[in-house]
Amino acid sequence: MFETSGSTKKFFENIPHFDTPVTSKVPTFDRTLDSYFDRNFETIIEEWGLVTESDLSEYARKLDYLSYEVGRLHTEKDLLKKRADSIEKAISNLEARK
């Protein structure tokens, strides 16, 4: 319908490539959210009960300790079972002598 000149086309092709301080000051939804979260980050984490990096490392430390304890208790259980079996056998031998 209406023909655009070559110089006008070149001008419009270069518009998205403009990077001026004005473009960073134009409010957008993303920038508004980023700004909100930057200002209220710690409060949001606390209110929502979000897990932080330090929480994760503490949970990992507790998991390592509990895994160690479970292994140790399992070993102790086996030792106690062997001792109970030997005591039961000794009692059976004593009762058999009577």
Side-chain angles (χ1 to χ4, degrees):
M1 184 166 188
F2 294 105
E3 190 65 34
T4 307
S5 70
S7 62
T8 306
K9 284 182 183 179
K10 287 181 183 177
F11 174 77
F12 283 117
E13 289 172 358
N14 290 329
I15 286 180
H17 301 294
F18 284 119
D19 191 23
T20 63
V22 174
T23 57
S24 64
K25 293 182 181 181
V26 174
T28 64
F29 186 67
D30 289 341
R31 286 194 196 103
T32 304
L33 278 178
D34 288 343
S35 174
Y36 173 79
F37 282 119
D38 287 343
R39 285 191 317 270
N40 300 302
F41 190 69
E42 290 182 20
T43 306
I44 291 169
I45 288 173
E46 187 177 318
E47 285 180 2
W48 292 356
L50 300 176
V51 177
T52 62
E53 192 72 31
S54 62
D55 293 336
L56 288 175
S57 62
E58 180 65 16
Y59 293 148
R61 186 190 66 75
K62 287 180 179 180
L63 180 62
D64 289 342
Y65 175 74
L66 291 174
S67 297
Y68 165 77
E69 283 295 311
V70 166
R72 189 183 65 77
L73 290 172
H74 187 67
T75 303
E76 288 291 320
K77 176 188 154 205
D78 291 342
L79 291 174
L80 288 174
K81 184 167 174 42
K82 287 178 186 176
R83 284 180 64 197
D85 289 343
S86 69
I87 291 172
E88 188 175 299
K89 186 177 177 181
I91 290 173
S92 295
N93 287 341
L94 287 174
E95 288 177 346
R97 290 183 190 172
K98 285 185 178 182

